[in-house]
Amino acid sequence: MPPYSQLLAQIPMFEQLSEEDLGHLSGLMQQRRYAKGEVIFHKGDVGTALFIVRRGEVAIRLSSSEGREVILSMLHRGDSFGELALLDGEPRSTDAVAREETHLLSLHQEDFRRFLADRPRVAMGLLAVLSRMVRRVTQLVHDAAFLEGRARLVRVLLELARTQGQPGPAGGIVLPKRTQVELANQCGVTRESVNKWLRHYVQAGLIALDGGQITLLDVERLRRDVE
């Protein structure tokens, strides 16, 4: 199987493609590597490529002139981003930043459009990807409008547990490391609020903190606490 075909076959947008089409698509991909903290693109940049995460982690974020940030999503192996600018010709609507050393595959705009035009099944998969994106942003708006900081933090912790959590040696679910500033940016609250509620849940026995590492000790009680 050609390079990257196995990875592409696991991506919802391309999972219905034949082995021949996957091989063709694989040949159009270019490798890119970004250092930790490096900007992949800024809001307002001209969109020239679709990206797929091969290794590492990418933050999709909005930032203000005052330096405030809101993280819309954290992407990992097999996730794609940058589709919108390729379809509508408009500038990038967010920033994309590598959170660690990250390896990406990129598909140039013209190659992407030609590939898409000949394969309507990919177009349907792309619609599903965009629908999930809209639902995620809608959920963020809902949470910001109607949920207090405590509930927003717990939702982020539960989502991290669902997507990236690992069983702890002494039980519980160990989350990927996040600073309190990063959690605050994901929740749309202050770092002080995150610190306050983390300490609250430590005292309640629902989470454990060890050098910045968060372990969820009772997922069901956490979930019930914000329902």
Side-chain angles (χ1 to χ4, degrees):
M1 185 175 286
Y4 318 132
S5 291
Q6 188 171 2
L7 171 62
L8 295 175
Q10 298 169 6
I11 297 172
M13 190 174 13
F14 303 129
E15 63 184 3
Q16 299 299 321
L17 291 178
S18 66
E19 188 170 325
E20 180 181 357
D21 281 342
L22 286 171
H24 178 65
L25 181 62
S26 176
L28 299 175
M29 293 289 176
Q30 298 180 357
Q31 296 185 65
R32 298 192 183 186
R33 188 178 71 176
Y34 294 86
K36 180 179 180 179
E38 190 173 355
V39 176
I40 300 163
F41 55 72
H42 288 283
K43 179 181 178 181
D45 287 352
V46 176
T48 59
L50 159 74
F51 296 94
I52 295 169
V53 182
R54 183 180 168 211
R55 190 173 77 192
E57 186 173 49
V58 174
I60 304 299
R61 72 184 190 191
L62 291 172
S63 55
S64 70
S65 56
E66 293 81 21
R68 291 188 60 196
E69 294 180 2
V70 175
I71 297 177
L72 300 178
S73 58
M74 305 292 283
L75 306 179
H76 308 90
R77 178 177 171 83
D79 289 328
S80 61
F81 62 100
E83 303 93 344
L84 281 179
L86 300 191
L87 294 174
D88 61 16
E90 296 293 321
R92 299 290 192 188
S93 56
T94 62
D95 302 329
V97 182
R99 286 197 69 255
E100 57 190 55
E101 181 177 322
T102 297
H103 296 243
L104 301 177
L105 301 177
S106 68
L107 183 61
H108 191 270
Q109 182 181 58
E110 291 307 315
D111 290 332
F112 177 71
R113 288 181 173 178
R114 281 194 294 268
F115 188 84
L116 194 63
D118 296 334
R119 297 163 180 85
R121 285 180 297 178
V122 176
M124 293 301 296
L126 179 58
L127 285 175
V129 170
L130 298 180
S131 295
R132 285 194 294 273
M133 186 187 306
V134 170
R135 289 178 185 276
R136 184 165 58 241
V137 172
T138 301
Q139 186 66 56
L140 286 171
V141 172
H142 172 275
D143 290 355
F146 299 111
L147 297 183
E148 61 178 348
R150 173 181 63 89
R152 286 189 244 170
L153 173 61
V154 171
R155 284 204 176 186
V156 167
L157 297 179
L158 291 174
E159 181 65 12
L160 286 172
R162 184 184 70 83
T163 58
Q164 296 178 261
Q166 300 293 328
I173 300 177
V174 179
L175 305 186
K177 281 197 173 182
R178 293 285 188 273
T179 67
Q180 291 189 9
V181 171
E182 289 170 333
L183 285 173
N185 290 341
Q186 281 190 261
C187 301
V189 300
T190 64
R191 187 200 66 79
E192 290 77 14
S193 180
V194 167
N195 180 268
K196 168 188 172 182
W197 289 112
L198 287 177
R199 286 188 288 107
H200 166 79
Y201 284 115
V202 168
Q203 293 170 1
L206 301 186
I207 71 172
L209 290 176
D210 182 11
Q213 181 72 67
I214 300 174
T215 301
L216 305 190
L217 302 177
D218 195 327
V219 169
E220 288 307 315
R221 282 182 63 194
L222 276 171
R223 185 175 289 114
R224 288 198 303 269
D225 193 54
V226 296
E227 287 180 346

